[in-house]
Amino acid sequence: MKKLFAEFFGTFWLVFGGCGSAVFAAGIPDIGIGLLGVSLAFGLTVVTMAYAVGPISGGHFNPAVTLGLWASGKFEAHNIVKYIVAQCLGATAAAAILYLILNGANSFSASGAGAFATNFYDQPVYHNRSFSMFAAFLTEFVLTLFFLLVILGATDKRANGKFAGLAIGLALTLIHLISIPITNTSVNPARSTSQALFVGGLALQQLWLFWLAPILGGISGGIIYKTLLAKE
């Protein structure tokens, strides 16, 4: 049970810190944190929780990571559903609090593509440029695949485990720097679901991609590391 609570709180912090920074601090005139700030916020949530609760649960905070670790032989199949449920509950609880805070603002809005830090494709959100469903799928797939390679490499017994959390957090920062303009960056089905539930409409209709692409990418990354990179 402690492992599930660790996954709940870790995923809560990822959504609250990462999506919260995007919702409240990204676009403030003159002092907004922008693309770099939001990317760092997501990375920092993973760094802090990797060291805070990672030793308890392994610090997945992401269904795609859980399934990727299973594919690599690093996680037991009988715990997959429990971990994913805990992650989704933690993410949704964080999104609910963010929504309540946003609802207290004098200019409340949580609708449209990209609103409330939701993920999207085929929508010209940034600089009137939109990316196709295929482009979004490929982006999420490739970035989640490499995220798993970083996670598995950084936590390998041959690596210096003391720096694993830092490497993983920096990898997530880089992932966001690349893909925020493309999909608003998912690589995490729990994070995508939590925001989409409160926006509805298009966000829910497109949610399938932000489950399927990260999960396939995570599993592929796990298999690649196990077969090509892991030491027997």
Side-chain angles (χ1 to χ4, degrees), residues 132-142 183 208-209 212-214 216:
S132 68
M133 180 179 68
F134 174 77
F137 191 99
L138 184 61
T139 299
E140 293 289 329
F141 176 87
V142 170
T183 62
W208 67 271
L209 186 145
L212 185 61
L216 291 179

Side-chain angles (χ1 to χ4, degrees), residues 23-24 99 102-112 114-117 198-199:
V23 170
F24 299 122
Y99 191 84
L102 182 61
N103 198 37
N106 56 12
S107 57
F108 172 72
S109 176
S111 62
F116 200 50
F198 288 90
V199 174

Side-chain angles (χ1 to χ4, degrees), residues 64-65 68-69 72 141-156 158-159 167-168 171 175 217-230:
V65 170
L69 292 175
S72 73
F141 176 87
V142 170
L143 291 178
T144 313
L145 187 157
F146 274 88
F147 192 37
L148 262 293
L149 294 183
V150 172
I151 291 170
L152 289 165
T155 57
D156 193 289
R158 295 170 291 174
I168 294 166
I175 285 169
I219 291 174
S220 299
I223 293 172
I224 289 171
Y225 194 89
K226 180 181 180 180
T227 56
L228 300 179
L229 301 173

Side-chain angles (χ1 to χ4, degrees), residues 2-11 13 45-61 83:
K2 290 181 179 179
K3 292 182 179 181
L4 300 182
F5 276 120
E7 286 298 303
F8 176 94
F9 288 119
T11 315
W13 189 237
T45 61
V46 170
V47 170
T48 50
M49 278 294 147
Y51 291 111
V53 301
I56 300 171
S57 67
H60 300 190
F61 318 142
Y83 263 54

